[in-house]
Amino acid sequence: MTERLTSLSGLAPTAKLPAYDRKALKPGILHLGPGAFFRAHFAPFTDAAIAVAGGDWGIEVASLRTTDVADHLNQQNGLYTMLVRDTSGTTAHVIGPILRAHVATRNPDDLLARLEEPAIRIVSLTVTEKAYGFDAATGGLDLKHPDIAADLGNRHAPRGVIGYLVEGLARRRAKGIAPFTPLSCDNLPNNGAVLKRLVLEFAGRIDADLQQWIEANVPFPSTMVDRITPASTDATYRDAERLTGRQDLAAIETEPFTQWVIEDHFANGRPEWEKVSGALMVEEVSAYEKMKLRMLNGAHSLLAYLGYIGGYEFIRDVMDDSGLAALARRHMNAAASTLDPVPGIDLEAYADELIARFANKAIAHRTYQIAMDGTQKLPQRLLEPASEALAGGNKAETYAIAVAAWMRYALGVDRKGERYELRDPRAAEIAALLADVPRNGGAVSKALFGLPGLFPAALTGNIGWTEDVANKLEILIQDNKLPLI
């Protein structure tokens, strides 16, 4: 059996190694949610920033639920391989700033101790939208969310991300320790503002003075992250071993393109990320994130739903269908028309770049992976820009296609009649709505348009548009015809 990746010595010459002394690193960042997305952007950007600009910004990571990634990282002394794939080949980068991994379910007191450690100056997050516990209808706390409800009832022993952040800040305030900066890197519009609202609402329910202290002292910068990161497969692990000479169970793969836009509001310092190509420190991130959510993520969702129900396993396969590729570009153009100018960005060139990225044969990004959590993703990716397009007098046809595709996907039955799991936090609610509904476009769309808090009145009240969705859904249900152009 091949030796495990545990140090930087003796690795294959095909592996690119950290260009700094790992022994000089000290814990400065605590990251919650060390999944593939974090390992493909946050850690590599920090790795590169230390190499280029110096600093001792070591990262500790914590998993709030699962154990595998944390265990693998600890067994490998924080090291892992990032594979970068394109049509010219695959390169291996061993990423070095992670010092230690925690598992909250095993030792919550250990995580709480790190949150109040003065050396931890940034607490970053990639926990996915559903972990925040916000009410999509109000934007505030969802008091029925299991983690929110549990943590409000037992604030000193949290289990959810908001509860941990508030308890950590409360402990620092009580001991006179400067606050950390919470840094959301999840795919939410205005993610810093969303996080701030949830933290303040939670704090206000348990301690009004704590709420005021957080509001006065804690910045919540928003970020926009862009890098396609498929789930790791056996091929990922095989290639990591081939290119490093070591077995690596924490290896991930990604594309060459990477972009990170960060609002430069921090309470107590940060790495010099701006020294790294692809990172941009700005005063306001909203224009960039709206561009990404609507043009990239919106088109991605469109292709994922149509692709999955059409029998395509990967986005690259969907892009081989000329009709679907053309539809993706039409949708990007429609999304671009809802945007204000984005500083430094040519939107047409950006769309061209997205098409090339989606078609990258070296990236195996599953349509089923992208399709998950639709009720969390649709509002910012599709429903908000569709509402704006209709308000501007446009047809919003590609949005109707995308919504019809999601509704067809929500039926949970593929074109061969085989059932699949609808991986969505509201899956049970969707199933209940559709249980006794006739399988036709009008009935299914009417039921799903009634899903509480999802579709805005600007869409459900537009008879022409809802009929368009119903008609397109009917085609998908009865004929499985793609791409509805």
Side-chain angles (χ1 to χ4, degrees), residues 2-8 11 22 39 68-82 94-101 237 240-241 244 246-252:
T2 306
E3 183 181 344
R4 192 77 173 266
L5 174 64
T6 58
S7 75
L8 298 176
L11 299 186
R22 292 188 77 225
R39 285 175 282 143
D68 289 355
V69 172
D71 287 344
H72 293 327
L73 288 171
N74 279 332
Q75 292 159 7
Q76 297 177 183
N77 294 317
L79 296 171
Y80 69 93
T81 308
M82 177 180 69
V94 178
I95 306 300
I98 297 175
L99 304 178
R100 183 184 173 195
Y237 304 125
E241 183 173 329
T244 66
R246 296 288 186 271
Q247 182 188 43
D248 181 359
L249 298 182
I252 54 100

Side-chain angles (χ1 to χ4, degrees), residues 190 263 284-291:
N190 299 309
E263 290 179 350
E284 170 62 52
V285 79
S286 60
Y288 299 90
E289 69 180 6
K290 187 178 288 188
M291 172 191 75

Side-chain angles (χ1 to χ4, degrees), residues 45-60:
F45 267 114
T46 304
D47 181 89
I50 298 168
V52 171
D56 58 1
W57 285 91
I59 303 173
E60 294 189 10

Side-chain angles (χ1 to χ4, degrees), residues 202-360:
F202 189 102
R205 287 181 173 272
I206 59 174
D207 185 338
D209 290 339
L210 173 62
Q211 181 190 46
Q212 293 174 7
W213 181 83
I214 292 173
E215 188 158 22
N217 295 282
V218 182
F220 290 82
S222 289
T223 68
M224 187 278 281
V225 177
D226 187 359
R227 195 170 212 186
I228 294 171
T229 307
S232 296
T233 65
D234 289 343
T236 310
Y237 304 125
R238 286 195 302 269
D239 286 348
E241 183 173 329
R242 174 176 59 84
L243 292 169
T244 66
R246 296 288 186 271
Q247 182 188 43
D248 181 359
L249 298 182
I252 54 100
E253 61 179 77
T254 190
E255 62 172 336
F257 180 91
T258 184
Q259 185 180 46
W260 193 17
V261 185
I262 314 154
E263 290 179 350
D264 200 3
H265 311 303
F266 288 79
N268 198 9
R270 60 169 178 78
E272 294 187 60
W273 288 309
E274 71 273 19
K275 299 291 181 66
V276 181
S277 176
L280 185 63
M281 307 302 300
V282 300
E283 182 66 23
E284 170 62 52
V285 79
S286 60
Y288 299 90
E289 69 180 6
K290 187 178 288 188
M291 172 191 75
K292 187 243 182 176
L293 284 164
R294 295 185 178 189
M295 293 184 68
L296 186 155
N297 297 126
H300 231 188
S301 290
L302 168 66
L303 292 174
Y305 295 125
L306 284 175
Y308 188 77
I309 63 179
Y312 294 108
E313 184 176 7
F314 302 113
I315 289 293
R316 66 189 184 192
D317 301 329
V318 183
M319 295 300 289
D320 283 337
D321 185 313
S322 60
L324 290 174
L327 177 60
R329 182 53 195 255
R330 278 179 58 205
H331 183 76
M332 291 175 192
N333 292 342
S337 70
T338 70
L339 300 173
D340 294 326
V342 183
I345 302 292
D346 179 327
L347 294 180
E348 186 154 340
Y350 180 65
D352 289 339
E353 189 173 48
L354 291 178
I355 292 295
R357 292 167 64 193
F358 289 173
N360 184 350

Side-chain angles (χ1 to χ4, degrees), residues 459-480:
L459 295 181
T460 57
N462 189 306
I463 296 175
W465 190 81
T466 56
E467 288 181 349
D468 194 18
V469 172
N471 291 336
K472 288 173 167 50
L473 178 57
E474 178 70 10
I475 295 171
L476 290 174
I477 292 174
Q478 304 302 333
D479 300 330
N480 286 316

